[in-house]
Amino acid sequence: MDGIPIKTFTVGSKLLALYALASSEDSVFVVIPKSGERDTFQLVSVKLTKAAGQDLEAKELSVVLHGVGASPKSIAFGREGEYVASVKDLNLQVYFFKQKQLNRFSLSAVKTKGGNNHFTCVACHPTEDCIATGHADGKIRLWRNFYHKKEYTFSTLHWHHDTVMDLAFSIEGTSLLSGGVESVLVLWHNGSDCRKDFLPRLGSPIEYISMSSDGALCCTLHTDNRITIINSNLRFSKCIQGLIKTMDVKTGLVVDPRTKALVLNGEPGHLQFYCLQSDQQLFSLDIVQRQYIHQAGLKQTDLVKVAFSAQGKWLATVEERDEVTDPELQLKLWFYDEETQSFKLNTRINMPHEDHVTDMCFRDMDELEDDSLILVTAGRDCVFKVWVMVEDTDPEAQQSVSWNCDFVGSYHNYQATNCCFSEDGSVLAVSFEETVTVWDSVTWDLKCTFCHPPGKIRNICFGRLTCSKYLIGATDHGFLCCWNLLSCALEWSAHLNILVLQPDPLSEYIAAVSWLSKESSQLLFHRNISFQVCSLDWNTVKVFVFKPNEPRPIYIQRNLCKEKIQLAAFIPRDEPETVGSEKYLWLRRSQLFFLTDTQLAVEESLPVTPFSLLLGKHRCQQSQQDIDLGKRVVQNKHEQDSPAVKELLHTPAHVLPSASFLCPIFINSLLISKENKSAEVAADEVEMESEKAEDESDEERDITEMEQEDTSPMELLGEMTCKLSKSQEKELRKIRKTDYSWISAF
Amino acid sequence: MATYKAVAVPAVPRLGERITQDTVYWRGYKTPVQIKEFGAINKIDFSPVPPYNYAVTASSRIHIYGRYSQEPMKTFSRFKDAAYCATYRDDGNLLVAGSEEGSIHLFDVSGRAPLRQFDGHTKPVHVVGFLSDKYRIFSGGDDYASYLWDIPSGTDIVSYSEHTDYVRCGCASKVNADVFITGSYDHTVKLFDARTKRSVMTIEHGQPVESVLLFPSGGLLVSAGGRYVKVWDVLKGGQLLVSLKNHHKTVTCLCLTSSGQRLLSGSLDRHVKIYSTTSYKVVHSFNYATSILSLALSPEDETIVVGMTNGVLNVKHRKPEERKEKSQKKRQPAYRTYVKGRSYMPKQEDFCVSKPVKRVLRKYDKLLKSFQSSKALDAVLEPPIRLYTPEVTVAVMQELHRRGTLRSALAGRDEKQINLLLTFVARRVIEPRFTSVLVTVADMITDIYQPVVGQSAIVDRQFLKLQEAIGKEIDYQEELLEVLGMMDTLFATFTQKRATCLEENKSNGLNRGY
């Protein structure tokens, strides 16, 4: 086995399943879609010609069966390839090659509580004329005597309560293996209902079962991207696993400071530590510590938030069971035990918040002692709580420290959405819907608030190292704002629909992932440079990397991938890499990883390197939203929620320019303009507005905010902002300012 | 592949006082003996020698009580007016007491008439004591003066009049025979050395000093006055070590345990607080019926005697140590038979057969493992589990609810079983730790058995009981909310920070779920 292809045959259509039989060496069977019809598939046999050469075309196709299922599990070949059985919906077709006879058997549709009785899979007995079929209601049927169209018989085996996912006969045919959602491997002896053995708790639903040719081993493939190898006497033997696939990565991508491993949801209720360098799961930590019942539609406790302290000594986890009447919430604090080299549960807090926990962070302070360690949780119950370690005075207690609530803070009864500590730990930022509040972490006094209406705060983070005086926030109305904590003023802002905001723990760079859907137009404007993005692909993802102290991005990666990026994480490199190009300087100390809807990707010097197996469930059906663009724009005009109107209504009165100035723009926005289409295209221009004026006078700030208001009507009107020199621009502002104050005096 | 995980029964922290070694120790006293004296008890002093009799000074009398006697063994009543501060000498033979008329009387414990009388104070003498050389007596009076008296000659050696108010407390050093301290109502504590003419140290307590105490080592000084108990480091020139404010009325008396590990303070607020002398935290506290004036602890902490303002003497004796009787147990196989072969290290050529470790599961876990919901619920409704460990019953109910099989487990039960279930729910539903689960259970039971209501008198009665229990709880919670509202108002007026009020609010999470 050297992995070098001997011959390549080109069939010419999509191959969905491939079967090779020992009895017919010169042909293989494949499932291909039927030309002309959608969602209909046929089983064809392909003659493999013995011509010389590497690449050959296999043209001799002969259709064996029509209307077969697309899944490889729905076709099975019988004893010595004498017949083929195929199942689809409620029909079982058996085709005898020698007699060229096709028998069809169909079941009457029965819908029970457990589900319908559709066929899901089929397996044929290796030595006898017997076909086993699995059904969606959990039944297994054993068909015999199917040579006769009428006098066939079948017996039923029923143990599974949910769909039978796959079946396999043992090599001698004495036993049958079946598996399903219950994640239990069932061994049926001699096809009888009463004698069966189980191998329970395999971790996740069984997708495929396969037997080795000598019958000594059997392996199961699971839905969470894992292969289990099982001895013939139903003893667990080995597990092959990489990154465990989960339905929903609720915890986000977290880096364990100790092992530099990526930490995210693993098995249900577990936390997986995944080493990116070696593509291995280091270990799986059981957080929930409850029996997981594999059953569809059952709400079970799952892990939603994870946070590590700076050195990885403490781990905080939040698990919740979503239920309408009483959601179960638990905050657990784990201590890393050097002796056992694993995390040990230290404190369990029931119902840390009345409602869901939205964010959680430790105070990251490397140089200080344990007593400076603080955990902050933000909750949807409109408060954030500060948890501190308290030493147990009781000498008889088993552990010397435990965690206690120290402070509860709230802001005008708004839901707390994000929390973040500054690098030196002196300041805590908590976002409450539209407002970012900054708290002193010693006295827990509210220091100042920042707000950039409209839109709720989606993400906040502090700058690091040289940029530690900046606070970055992203709103869900498409603004990225940078506030200066020393002057308590807005430093700059950009109109970007930021999905993910990720600071690099080792440098001052911050990565922002923007998602440009077709409704949100982007405008990124810079004083000196304007970036032109002439792409008409509306659903594009862009990655910006910037330093908070300058409003120009250091690096932009367009069209990174088609899917929406959900999460990102900077993984520190073991050794700083020497990067030649200045453009990739930010990748010197860490690598940036993304988790999209379907896969985990790494941002390298190369454009994109998809490296891991599939992750995530289904691709979002974004394509369905492809509504005619022109129609949409016209509609927009009639609706009240045109951006200009929206902007006008959602902006606080004190930052609005005078009414006389707004009036023509407002009226213009209500008119149906002829050049709608071109306007939308022009709006795609990426510009960034910088307001980093040298003199931070109040007057100047007023103007800057007015300028921001200006941008949206402008983009709507399709006016291209001309490139102006700095002095010209300033001049213009001054003229505007004086002009309007003068008018309003009348 | 994972093993079956047993149902986790959540441990709920016990409410109320935490059990520590200290609470166990200080609770180990019998119910107190109350003895009525003639007036307020201003001093109790234990004889330093066995059998540890104690002298109680009240009104114009000094009573000497034996350890277990309810009646005084001996009485000194030769005082015209009130007697004060009867104190034993280190050998337990002599007793000295001050008096209202200003004279100091020295008694032989075995005799009746005073051996000596020292006159010199012009006002009542509230504090007297022996110096540790046994031959001298110090005293402090309401004439602001402190005297030092020689016992053999019966004359005064030296007098100090540095205080500017009544001298009401004092203490002699056990280490140095020349050193004694006095505390006064002028807010100061002064340290005197008999060899000098003036005080050697003055400590500002800040409140009128009611009681002073020196640690056996002589290095630390404790003063009590106002609501404060303050500890000073004498060797560092009277530096304040710690200030304790645990009483809400004037602290009147101080006392050390014989080991010196704990400090006791009695106060007019009717409490005796016990502090650890290492951390200076309150480790235990006693509650008494009336304001406390004096307090004494016998050697080895065998007896705590507390004197009150209303003349009641409260005596607590320590319970005798429980001797664990070594009963002759049935001879069991020796320990070595269990560990036989355990330490054997397999050699290289040995073939090891590992024996699987058998995990013992509880009955309900076994049933849950095999998905037998109804039977699992039956198992936890058995009397021992239901009555003594209701948390297990509730945990299993919650687990069934999680699995979505609680309804089917509750359904299909006969009259007796419903009765049992409802009794359990009605009794436990008001316990906060069970409320959320049992409310769901009660909901389901009412849903399931609604059609059969009226068919059985027993079940109907249980339903009514459940209703009554919940109604009572709601009333109770409403009342609590009212109190909470009042407290919030108070807090709002007292504190600037709003945050404290918010923390108080956390406790009203109980009434959710109704």
Side-chain angles (χ1 to χ4, degrees):
Chain A
M1 295 279 263
D2 51 5
I4 299 165
I6 299 164
K7 272 182 186 176
T8 311
F9 292 96
T10 313
V11 179
S13 72
K14 203 173 173 181
L15 305 183
L16 291 145
L18 176 75
Y19 306 90
L21 297 184
S23 53
S24 56
E25 279 186 350
D26 53 345
S27 63
V28 291
F29 295 89
V30 291
V31 174
I32 58 169
K34 202 168 180 181
S35 52
E37 286 174 65
R38 259 181 90 170
D39 295 335
T40 354
F41 305 95
Q42 54 191 3
L43 178 72
V44 295
S45 86
V46 180
K47 190 94 175 162
L48 301 179
T49 48
K50 289 207 170 135
Q54 270 283 322
D55 293 294
L56 298 172
E57 275 197 38
K59 283 186 175 167
E60 272 185 67
L61 305 180
S62 55
V63 177
V64 181
L65 281 173
H66 290 289
V68 298
S71 157
K73 287 186 280 191
S74 63
I75 291 169
F77 288 84
R79 174 171 59 97
E80 284 144 23
E82 282 190 6
Y83 57 89
V84 57
S86 154
V87 291
K88 199 191 180 203
D89 296 339
L90 287 164
N91 297 309
L92 167 69
Q93 302 181 62
V94 185
Y95 180 74
F96 298 92
F97 289 107
K98 276 185 189 157
Q99 292 89 345
K100 295 206 169 14
Q101 181 194 352
L102 179 70
N103 285 1
R104 280 173 194 274
F105 310 99
S106 52
L107 296 171
S108 54
V110 178
K111 209 161 166 88
T112 56
K113 199 172 67 186
N116 52 28
N117 58 348
H118 281 209
F119 285 97
T120 52
C121 52
V122 64
C124 293
H125 198 285
T127 51
E128 293 170 28
D129 286 335
C130 173
I131 298 171
T133 57
H135 298 260
D137 57 358
K139 282 183 183 149
I140 297 165
R141 286 190 171 83
L142 290 174
W143 304 76
R144 289 174 200 276
N145 214 9
F146 40 80
Y147 296 105
H148 306 283
K149 283 198 171 175
K150 292 277 160 64
E151 289 154 26
Y152 66 91
T153 58
F154 67 79
S155 58
T156 309
L157 307 174
H158 197 177
W159 179 85
H160 294 276
H161 67 75
D162 215 322
T163 313
V164 180
M165 296 291 267
D166 203 8
L167 293 165
F169 274 103
S170 64
I171 295 305
E172 301 84 24
T174 49
S175 55
L176 173 70
L177 289 162
S178 69
V181 183
E182 304 87 355
S183 64
V184 179
L185 187 68
V186 187
L187 179 73
W188 308 83
H189 294 284
N190 301 324
S192 71
D193 206 356
C194 45
R195 281 198 60 211
K196 50 186 180 282
D197 286 320
F198 304 102
L199 182 65
R201 292 181 290 282
L202 285 170
S204 57
I206 296 167
E207 192 88 49
Y208 294 97
I209 303 169
S210 137
M211 293 290 299
S212 69
S213 52
D214 59 352
L217 293 171
C218 135
C219 91
T220 55
L221 179 79
H222 299 264
T223 50
D224 66 351
N225 183 25
R226 182 167 47 167
I227 297 166
T228 310
I229 297 171
I230 294 157
N231 285 343
S232 56
N233 55 353
L234 277 192
R235 279 283 171 81
F236 171 81
S237 165
K238 198 172 160 40
C239 192
I240 302 167
Q241 60 185 8
L243 189 63
I244 294 289
K245 187 176 105 177
T246 43
M247 291 293 187
D248 197 2
V249 185
K250 289 174 183 164
T251 57
L253 301 179
V254 186
V255 181
D256 175 20
R258 190 177 293 268
T259 56
K260 306 278 183 293
L262 191 67
V263 178
L264 65 162
N265 283 110
E267 276 180 68
H270 286 63
L271 201 60
Q272 63 173 328
F273 289 66
Y274 172 74
C275 182
L276 286 157
Q277 277 77 32
S278 59
D279 184 24
Q280 262 182 345
Q281 190 183 325
L282 295 180
F283 65 97
S284 179
L285 181 67
D286 188 2
I287 300 289
V288 174
Q289 297 179 333
R290 276 206 193 103
Q291 186 63 35
Y292 188 85
I293 310 294
H294 289 277
Q295 190 179 322
L298 213 57
K299 281 179 187 163
Q300 293 188 73
T301 317
D302 206 3
L303 203 59
V304 289
K305 289 280 176 288
V306 171
F308 281 96
S309 69
Q311 279 111 14
K313 207 170 164 188
W314 287 91
L315 163 70
T317 59
V318 175
E319 62 202 53
E320 61 180 39
R321 193 168 78 96
D322 207 8
E323 195 160 307
V324 188
T325 49
D326 52 325
E328 283 176 42
L329 271 175
Q330 270 194 355
L331 171 65
K332 282 179 179 167
L333 284 133
W334 306 75
F335 179 73
Y336 189 80
D337 192 350
E338 294 283 352
E339 259 175 50
T340 56
Q341 294 283 306
S342 71
F343 283 97
K344 210 173 147 196
L345 184 62
N346 176 274
T347 308
R348 198 191 66 214
I349 299 158
N350 270 324
M351 294 302 288
H353 284 266
E354 306 275 293
D355 208 335
H356 300 280
V357 175
T358 52
D359 203 1
M360 177 163 72
C361 64
F362 273 103
R363 182 157 81 171
D364 273 341
M365 288 168 89
D366 289 325
E367 68 274 17
L368 286 171
E369 288 301 305
D370 258 0
D371 54 336
S372 72
L373 203 60
I374 289 176
L375 176 71
V376 173
T377 55
R380 230 183 274 171
D381 56 347
C382 306
V383 294
F384 74 90
K385 289 188 181 176
V386 179
W387 307 87
V388 292
M389 241 191 299
V390 283
E391 279 195 29
D392 242 319
T393 47
D394 187 4
E396 274 181 79
Q398 287 159 354
Q399 55 198 31
S400 56
V401 289
S402 60
W403 289 76
N404 248 338
C405 186
D406 185 49
F407 176 74
V408 182
S410 65
Y411 182 76
H412 290 289
N413 233 10
Y414 288 129
Q415 288 183 357
T417 50
N418 291 289
C419 58
C420 179
F421 270 107
S422 67
E423 196 191 11
D424 61 350
S426 62
V427 168
L428 167 74
V430 184
S431 66
F432 288 94
E433 294 186 9
E434 296 189 353
T435 318
V436 182
T437 56
V438 179
W439 304 73
D440 187 320
S441 72
V442 179
T443 58
W444 300 115
D445 287 331
L446 180 61
K447 286 291 172 201
C448 61
T449 59
F450 297 115
C451 188
H452 192 280
K456 290 174 183 171
I457 305 290
R458 195 183 269 163
N459 274 314
I460 50 170
C461 71
F462 277 97
R464 303 184 72 89
L465 302 172
T466 58
C467 308
S468 54
K469 62 175 178 179
Y470 297 105
L471 174 66
I472 317 291
T475 69
D476 60 0
H477 271 232
F479 276 101
L480 181 66
C481 310
C482 176
W483 293 285
N484 189 333
L485 288 169
L486 299 179
S487 61
C488 291
L490 182 71
E491 194 81 4
W492 52 266
S493 75
H495 198 164
L496 285 168
N497 184 26
I498 299 294
L499 285 183
V500 178
L501 198 61
Q502 186 66 39
D504 184 0
L506 296 178
S507 63
E508 53 264 83
Y509 298 106
I510 294 177
V513 179
S514 78
W515 168 254
L516 185 75
S517 66
K518 62 173 170 284
E519 286 105 307
S520 73
S521 52
Q522 285 189 16
L523 210 74
L524 186 74
F525 180 83
H526 190 257
R527 195 162 44 210
N528 304 328
I529 312 155
S530 69
F531 301 94
Q532 300 272 335
V533 181
C534 301
S535 137
L536 272 173
D537 184 5
W538 295 99
N539 293 325
T540 49
V541 170
K542 292 192 190 69
V543 178
F544 298 89
V545 178
F546 60 94
K547 277 190 186 179
N549 58 355
E550 43 188 324
R552 114 185 49 170
I554 284 162
Y555 173 80
I556 300 181
Q557 171 75 48
R558 288 169 211 124
N559 301 330
L560 188 69
C561 49
K562 283 275 179 285
E563 299 89 11
K564 205 166 174 172
I565 288 180
Q566 291 180 322
L567 300 160
F570 272 103
I571 310 283
R573 287 183 200 270
D574 292 339
E575 283 176 25
E577 204 155 284
T578 46
V579 179
S581 149
E582 197 164 303
K583 200 178 167 193
Y584 296 110
L585 210 61
W586 58 280
L587 282 168
R588 214 166 72 85
R589 306 197 62 180
S590 339
Q591 282 171 295
L592 184 62
F593 285 82
F594 302 111
L595 185 75
T596 67
D597 287 350
T598 51
Q599 70 173 10
L600 191 66
V602 60
E603 174 65 20
E604 267 284 13
S605 310
L606 311 163
V608 188
T609 321
F611 84 105
S612 86
L613 283 160
L614 291 179
L615 203 108
K617 202 182 159 196
H618 296 294
R619 192 174 295 209
C620 288
Q621 297 292 313
Q622 293 287 346
S623 56
Q624 287 182 359
Q625 297 173 3
D626 276 317
I627 313 162
D628 184 22
L629 192 71
K631 210 168 150 190
R632 178 104 189 162
V633 172
V634 176
Q635 271 179 353
N636 249 351
K637 294 299 136 192
H638 296 299
E639 282 162 14
Q640 271 300 302
D641 59 359
S642 96
V645 181
K646 228 182 198 173
E647 207 88 330
L648 199 68
L649 294 175
H650 284 94
T651 313
H654 66 277
V655 294
L656 275 180
S658 62
S660 56
F661 173 67
L662 284 176
C663 188
I665 297 167
F666 180 67
I667 290 171
N668 275 337
S669 75
L670 295 176
L671 296 176
I672 299 162
S673 125
K674 266 186 184 175
E675 48 203 359
N676 258 329
K677 226 158 188 163
S678 63
E680 286 293 315
V681 176
D684 186 39
E685 187 144 331
V686 180
E687 299 168 67
M688 193 192 253
E689 175 136 19
S690 152
E691 306 301 341
K692 195 188 171 190
E694 273 75 27
D695 43 347
E696 288 285 334
S697 67
D698 268 4
E699 239 186 350
E700 192 69 21
R701 264 217 319 281
D702 273 355
I703 307 167
T704 60
E705 263 153 11
M706 217 161 79
E707 274 291 309
Q708 284 153 19
E709 293 314 311
D710 291 352
T711 53
S712 54
M714 271 188 207
E715 69 184 83
L716 204 99
L717 292 172
E719 284 174 13
M720 287 289 294
T721 328
C722 312
K723 270 195 257 177
L724 296 171
S725 74
K726 195 173 159 186
S727 55
Q728 277 176 310
E729 211 169 346
K730 236 175 188 172
E731 197 74 14
L732 194 69
R733 280 182 195 163
K734 263 181 198 162
I735 291 167
R736 269 190 197 165
K737 177 76 182 174
T738 47
D739 205 357
Y740 291 119
S741 59
W742 181 72
I743 286 168
S744 58
F746 280 97
Chain B
M1 206 187 83
T3 47
Y4 175 79
K5 290 170 203 155
V7 175
V9 178
V12 179
R14 295 235 169 258
L15 291 176
E17 203 180 353
R18 286 178 59 193
I19 307 279
T20 57
Q21 273 183 323
D22 276 289
T23 50
V24 172
Y25 182 81
W26 293 106
R27 273 185 194 157
Y29 286 94
K30 293 182 195 163
T31 40
V33 177
Q34 308 255 17
I35 301 165
K36 181 75 180 133
E37 288 286 338
F38 295 104
I41 296 157
N42 60 61
K43 177 78 179 179
I44 302 161
D45 193 43
F46 270 92
S47 163
V49 291
Y52 307 127
N53 296 333
Y54 54 95
V56 175
T57 319
S59 185
S60 64
R61 279 163 205 210
I62 300 164
H63 288 299
I64 296 188
Y65 289 91
R67 198 165 152 200
Y68 294 111
S69 64
Q70 303 252 0
E71 295 291 318
M73 289 164 64
K74 201 172 172 73
T75 305
F76 297 99
S77 53
R78 297 284 179 86
F79 296 96
K80 295 189 186 81
D81 208 334
Y84 297 111
C85 198
T87 310
Y88 275 103
R89 200 167 77 167
D90 276 354
D91 56 5
N93 289 331
L94 293 180
L95 195 70
V96 69
S99 69
E100 185 71 30
E101 61 262 36
S103 57
I104 298 159
H105 301 258
L106 182 73
F107 299 94
D108 185 352
V109 175
S110 50
R112 201 161 270 278
L115 290 177
R116 294 275 191 286
Q117 185 169 342
F118 307 98
D119 291 307
H121 281 287
T122 53
K123 292 267 176 71
V125 178
H126 276 268
V127 54
V128 285
F130 291 94
L131 290 186
S132 52
D133 65 358
K134 302 180 186 173
Y135 306 121
R136 283 178 291 175
I137 291 168
F138 73 92
S139 67
D142 286 358
D143 52 0
Y144 312 163
S146 318
Y147 281 83
L148 205 62
W149 309 89
D150 184 36
I151 299 173
S153 64
T155 55
D156 63 311
I157 301 166
V158 69
S159 75
Y160 306 93
S161 42
E162 290 184 19
H163 284 292
T164 53
D165 208 332
Y166 300 159
V167 179
R168 284 289 168 90
C169 52
C171 173
S173 166
K174 286 201 169 61
V175 187
N176 190 323
D178 290 315
V179 174
F180 71 96
I181 51 172
T182 53
S184 156
Y185 277 7
D186 63 359
H187 302 189
T188 60
V189 176
K190 284 187 192 282
L191 184 92
F192 297 98
D193 190 329
R195 295 162 292 193
T196 59
K197 291 277 178 209
R198 299 193 55 79
S199 68
V200 288
M201 193 185 290
T202 305
I203 291 163
E204 275 290 335
H205 178 80
Q207 279 84 24
V209 183
E210 296 281 353
S211 181
V212 289
L213 195 79
L214 268 172
F215 269 65
S217 65
L220 292 181
L221 190 155
V222 189
S223 63
R227 295 167 58 195
Y228 294 88
V229 174
K230 291 184 180 178
V231 183
W232 313 84
D233 193 337
V234 180
L235 300 180
K236 272 192 185 172
Q239 195 184 31
L240 178 65
L241 205 66
V242 65
S243 169
L244 308 166
K245 190 185 168 191
N246 294 92
H247 289 282
H248 57 265
K249 277 186 186 168
T250 303
V251 183
T252 53
C253 45
L254 292 170
C255 175
L256 272 176
T257 58
S258 48
S259 64
Q261 302 276 310
R262 299 283 181 267
L263 172 72
L264 282 77
S265 69
S267 155
L268 295 179
D269 66 0
R270 303 187 288 110
H271 288 280
V272 170
K273 306 254 176 196
I274 301 162
Y275 309 87
S276 157
T277 50
T278 47
S279 66
Y280 291 106
K281 294 233 168 74
V282 175
V283 293
H284 194 73
S285 90
F286 292 116
N287 209 346
Y288 285 93
T290 38
S291 300
I292 294 157
L293 276 186
S294 53
L295 163 76
L297 211 60
S298 75
E300 305 304 318
D301 307 340
E302 284 300 315
T303 317
I304 302 175
V305 188
V306 169
M308 325 266 191
T309 48
N310 62 355
V312 170
L313 192 68
N314 187 306
V315 186
K316 279 185 189 172
H317 294 287
R318 195 156 185 80
K319 282 180 197 162
E321 288 276 315
E322 282 170 35
R323 295 259 156 69
K324 276 174 191 165
E325 286 178 18
K326 280 172 191 163
S327 60
Q328 276 287 318
K329 275 191 178 173
K330 212 176 83 187
R331 209 180 144 73
Q332 287 186 339
Y335 175 65
R336 62 175 184 276
T337 53
Y338 288 119
V339 293
K340 202 174 182 181
R342 286 281 164 92
S343 54
Y344 178 78
M345 290 301 286
K347 290 188 191 99
Q348 205 143 40
E349 65 267 26
D350 286 351
F351 181 77
C352 295
V353 181
S354 62
K355 201 172 121 193
V357 183
K358 202 181 169 192
R359 283 173 68 233
V360 183
L361 287 178
R362 302 284 299 269
K363 193 182 171 192
Y364 57 85
D365 266 328
K366 277 184 198 158
L367 292 165
L368 281 175
K369 191 181 166 190
S370 53
F371 289 86
Q372 302 185 52
S373 312
S374 262
K375 281 187 184 165
L377 187 59
D378 286 342
V380 291
L381 285 172
E382 299 276 322
I385 293 181
R386 170 170 49 104
L387 296 176
Y388 302 117
T389 53
E391 60 271 14
V392 173
T393 312
V394 175
V396 169
M397 283 176 173
Q398 192 172 16
E399 178 64 25
L400 290 173
H401 185 45
R402 254 183 226 125
R403 294 178 174 207
T405 50
L406 180 59
R407 185 173 287 271
S408 47
L410 288 170
R413 286 170 183 273
D414 61 16
E415 185 187 54
K416 201 176 147 198
Q417 285 171 316
I418 301 168
N419 183 24
L420 202 87
L421 257 172
L422 280 171
T423 321
F424 179 80
V425 170
R427 193 173 149 202
R428 302 287 179 180
V429 76
I430 52 171
E431 281 184 44
R433 54 182 173 153
F434 302 144
T435 300
S436 61
V437 181
L438 289 185
V439 163
T440 323
V441 173
D443 265 355
M444 283 187 183
I445 294 175
T446 13
D447 278 359
I448 297 165
Y449 298 105
Q450 202 179 16
V452 296
V453 166
Q455 289 179 15
S456 155
I458 304 167
V459 174
D460 289 356
R461 203 182 313 134
Q462 290 301 338
F463 271 119
L464 286 176
K465 265 191 189 166
L466 178 65
Q467 192 186 11
E468 194 187 343
I470 291 174
K472 261 188 193 167
E473 183 65 17
I474 290 172
D475 290 345
Y476 177 58
Q477 290 293 340
E478 272 174 8
E479 217 165 289
L480 282 183
L481 272 181
E482 276 170 29
V483 174
L484 212 67
M486 289 179 222
M487 280 165 69
D488 272 351
T489 330
L490 287 176
F491 277 122
T493 52
F494 282 134
T495 55
Q496 277 93 37
K497 270 196 180 178
R498 240 178 66 81
T500 39
C501 308
L502 275 171
E503 283 200 353
E504 291 302 317
N505 272 328
K506 280 196 297 186
S507 59
N508 69 5
L510 293 181
N511 61 329
R512 287 177 320 106
Y514 288 110

